[in-house]
Amino acid sequence: MDRPLRILQVMRAPVGGLFRHVADLTRALSKKGHSVGLVVDSLASDAQTEQRLAALAEFAELGIHPMPMPRVLGKGDLTTPLAVRKLAGSLSIDILHGHGAKGGFYVRLAHLGRRRPSALYTPHGGVLHFSPSSRSGQLFHWLERKLLSQTGAIIFESGFARDTYSRLITPPTCRTEIIYNGLGTAEFEPIAPEDRSADFVFVGELRELKGIFPLVEALAGVKRHDGLPASLVMAGDGPQRLELEERISALGLADRVKLVGSQPARDVFAQGKIAVIPSLAESMPYVVLEATAAGLPVITTKVGGIPEIFAGTTDTLVAPGDAAALRAAMQSAMDHPDALEAELALRRRRVAEAFSLEAMVGQIEALYRDVLGQS
C-alpha cells in the first residue's frame, strides 16, 4: 500500500473559485489519509477569510501558515519563498502545490536547487489574465519561463488554459495535465426556486471582468412572458460595486436589480430561475458548474473553459461583452422555457459525467505520486 503523502498547498486568493478548489482538495486529501498544510496570504485577511480558514483547520494537519503575499509586487515576494522553503523542510514535505500566479511562483522558488519536495502548479487563470504588452505581464511571463525547470508538473483546469499558456508564455517544457474541477455529490441535488424568486441570478465578484456592466445593460430590455420587466438578483462584492450601483441607477433599474452581497452560491440560486454568468474571461469557473448541477439553466459566454463544460450544447453561448447578444439570449430564455429545460438536461448530464470531485482528487493524487517517483 502506498504511504500517505505530506502536502503543502500555497495560495494567495482568500475567496473565489481558487479558494474553493484548494478547500475541496484539502478536505479530500485529508480524508484519504494524507497530511496537508496550507500557506495563505497574511495581507488580505478579514473576518470572512478567517472563518473559511477556521473551517479547514481540522483537515490541515500540518497547520495553516499566514505569510505576506502582495497582490502584484512587494517585499513578501522576496521573503515568502524563503519562508516556504524553510517550512517545507521542517515539515518533511513531499509535495509543494502552488495555486494561482503567486502560489506557483513561491513553490517553485522554494524548490530551487532541490530534488524534493516536488513542486506542482495550477494557474487557475492567474498569470494567463496578464496582458503580454503590459509591464507586469511581461515580468510575470518571464518568471514563468524561467521557473519551468523547477516545475514537476503544471495542472491546467481546461484545455483552453493549457493552450493559452502555450500561446502567451511558452509551450511548457515540463509535464502538463488537464484535470477538470469537480463537484461533490450533494451539489447535484436540485434547488427549487423560492416562491417570490427573481427571473435571473448572478453570482460573482463585482468587477468588470465578470461582465457585470453588459449584464445590467442587457436586462434593461428584457421582459417576461406576461409583459412585465424581468428582474435580477446579483450576489457578490468587489471593487466596482459603487460603479455598478451608479450604472443601475442611471439605467432606471433600481427596482429590478437587487444586490445582496456575498452569499453561498446555492442560497443565491434559490432566489432565481435562471443563472447568468456573463464573464469577459474565465479559466474553468465553478459557478457555471454549480448552477448547472443545482438545476438552473445557465446563460453564459463563450470564454475560457466554458465551451468544454458545455461540450455538445455550445450554440447558445454568448459573445463576451456584447450586451445586445446577451439581451437576446435572456429574452429567448423568457420566451422559450421548454427549449431551455431540454438544454439544461443535457448539460446536467455532461457536468455529472465529467466534473466530479472524486475524479478530480483521484487524478491529482495519482499525479503527485507519479511526479514523486520521477524526482
Side-chain angles (χ1 to χ4, degrees), residues 127-188:
V127 72
L128 305 180
H129 291 159
F130 286 96
S131 169
S133 62
S134 68
R135 293 185 65 182
S136 57
Q138 291 169 3
L139 174 60
F140 283 125
H141 292 177
W142 177 82
L143 283 170
E144 280 289 335
R145 291 190 289 270
K146 291 297 182 182
L147 290 172
L148 281 173
S149 63
Q150 303 299 318
T151 311
I154 302 178
I155 301 172
F156 292 106
E157 319 95 289
S158 64
F160 167 84
R162 181 191 60 189
D163 295 345
T164 302
Y165 189 101
S166 296
R167 177 173 53 84
L168 288 183
I169 301 171
T170 188
T173 54
C174 64
R175 179 172 178 174
T176 64
E177 294 284 341
I178 297 172
I179 301 177
Y180 289 143
N181 295 333
L183 303 181
T185 304
E187 294 177 273
F188 287 89

Side-chain angles (χ1 to χ4, degrees), residues 18 42 70 110 129-130 134 144 154 177 207 210 228 234 262 278 316 358:
L18 188 158
S42 63
H129 291 159
F130 286 96
S134 68
E144 280 289 335
I154 302 178
E177 294 284 341
R207 59 176 176 139
K210 297 301 182 181
L228 294 176
M234 299 186 73
S262 293
T316 55
E358 182 180 5

Side-chain angles (χ1 to χ4, degrees), residues 180-184 188 351-363:
Y180 289 143
N181 295 333
L183 303 181
F188 287 89
V351 170
E353 291 172 352
F355 297 88
S356 76
L357 179 61
E358 182 180 5
M360 180 192 88
V361 175
Q363 291 173 59

Side-chain angles (χ1 to χ4, degrees), residues 2-11 21-40 56-57 59-65 84 87-99 103 107 116-122 155 360-372:
D2 293 325
R3 70 172 179 84
L5 300 177
R6 299 177 67 81
I7 303 156
L8 189 63
Q9 299 198 76
V10 182
M11 64 172 173
H21 176 88
V22 174
D24 284 350
L25 190 55
T26 297
R27 293 188 183 98
L29 290 170
S30 175
K31 290 176 181 178
K32 281 175 166 281
H34 302 297
S35 299
V36 184
L38 299 175
V39 176
V40 300
L56 279 180
F59 303 100
E61 179 185 340
L62 302 181
I64 298 176
H65 307 270
V84 171
L87 180 64
S90 68
L91 295 175
S92 300
I93 294 298
D94 297 307
I95 293 287
L96 282 168
H97 190 166
H99 298 267
V107 299
R116 294 170 76 100
S118 295
L120 290 85
Y121 164 47
T122 304
I155 301 172
M360 180 192 88
V361 175
Q363 291 173 59
I364 292 175
E365 180 187 30
L367 180 60
Y368 285 168
R369 292 197 183 280
D370 206 19
V371 169
L372 271 176

Side-chain angles (χ1 to χ4, degrees), residues 9-310:
Q9 299 198 76
V10 182
M11 64 172 173
R12 183 194 164 274
V15 294
L18 188 158
F19 184 93
R20 186 242 155 98
H21 176 88
V22 174
D24 284 350
L25 190 55
T26 297
R27 293 188 183 98
L29 290 170
S30 175
K31 290 176 181 178
K32 281 175 166 281
H34 302 297
S35 299
V36 184
L38 299 175
V39 176
V40 300
D41 183 20
S42 63
L43 302 177
S45 182
D46 56 29
Q48 188 177 55
T49 301
E50 292 300 322
Q51 290 175 357
R52 288 174 171 165
L53 291 174
L56 279 180
E58 66 177 294
F59 303 100
E61 179 185 340
L62 302 181
I64 298 176
H65 307 270
M67 298 182 187
M69 300 182 186
R71 184 174 180 86
V72 184
L73 292 173
K75 183 180 178 181
D77 294 324
L78 299 175
T79 60
T80 295
L82 295 174
V84 171
R85 182 184 179 95
K86 182 177 179 181
L87 180 64
S90 68
L91 295 175
S92 300
I93 294 298
D94 297 307
I95 293 287
L96 282 168
H97 190 166
H99 298 267
K102 284 300 179 79
F105 291 147
Y106 294 157
V107 299
R108 291 176 292 172
L109 288 170
H111 180 262
L112 282 169
R114 290 182 171 180
R115 290 185 61 196
R116 294 170 76 100
S118 295
L120 290 85
Y121 164 47
T122 304
H124 296 282
V127 72
L128 305 180
H129 291 159
F130 286 96
S131 169
S133 62
S134 68
R135 293 185 65 182
S136 57
Q138 291 169 3
L139 174 60
F140 283 125
H141 292 177
W142 177 82
L143 283 170
E144 280 289 335
R145 291 190 289 270
K146 291 297 182 182
L147 290 172
L148 281 173
S149 63
Q150 303 299 318
T151 311
I154 302 178
I155 301 172
F156 292 106
E157 319 95 289
S158 64
F160 167 84
R162 181 191 60 189
D163 295 345
T164 302
Y165 189 101
S166 296
R167 177 173 53 84
L168 288 183
I169 301 171
T170 188
T173 54
C174 64
R175 179 172 178 174
T176 64
E177 294 284 341
I178 297 172
I179 301 177
Y180 289 143
N181 295 333
L183 303 181
T185 304
E187 294 177 273
F188 287 89
E189 291 292 327
I191 291 176
E194 297 172 349
D195 292 338
R196 300 172 67 89
S197 59
D199 297 297
F200 301 99
V201 294
F202 165 90
V203 181
E205 190 176 6
L206 301 185
R207 59 176 176 139
E208 187 172 6
L209 188 70
K210 297 301 182 181
I212 56 175
F213 299 114
L215 173 55
V216 293
E217 290 166 11
L219 180 74
V222 179
K223 293 185 178 181
R224 292 163 28 185
H225 61 86
D226 58 7
L228 294 176
S231 58
L232 168 68
V233 167
M234 299 186 73
D237 283 309
Q240 291 179 282
R241 175 165 181 152
L242 180 59
E243 186 178 348
L244 175 63
E245 291 173 341
E246 292 172 348
R247 184 74 60 88
I248 290 169
S249 178
L251 290 167
L253 299 175
D255 60 341
R256 295 172 56 188
V257 180
K258 185 178 180 181
L259 301 180
V260 297
S262 293
Q263 297 185 17
R266 285 179 67 88
D267 291 350
V268 182
F269 297 153
Q271 298 176 44
K273 302 181 183 72
I274 301 167
V276 187
I277 314 297
S279 302
L280 307 186
E282 287 287 358
S283 178
M284 181 56 72
Y286 268 105
V287 67
V288 171
L289 298 171
E290 292 167 338
T292 304
L296 265 71
V298 175
I299 297 170
T300 188
T301 44
K302 194 173 185 178
V303 297
I306 294 176
E308 294 170 63
I309 297 176
F310 291 148

Side-chain angles (χ1 to χ4, degrees), residues 304-356:
I306 294 176
E308 294 170 63
I309 297 176
F310 291 148
T313 59
T314 58
D315 289 349
T316 55
L317 296 181
V318 179
D322 188 336
L326 184 60
R327 181 183 302 116
M330 294 168 69
Q331 188 61 60
S332 179
M334 294 281 95
D335 296 340
H336 306 287
D338 291 344
L340 199 67
E341 287 299 319
E343 180 181 71
L344 171 62
L346 294 174
R347 288 179 167 183
R348 288 193 82 218
R349 190 176 307 122
R350 161 71 178 164
V351 170
E353 291 172 352
F355 297 88
S356 76

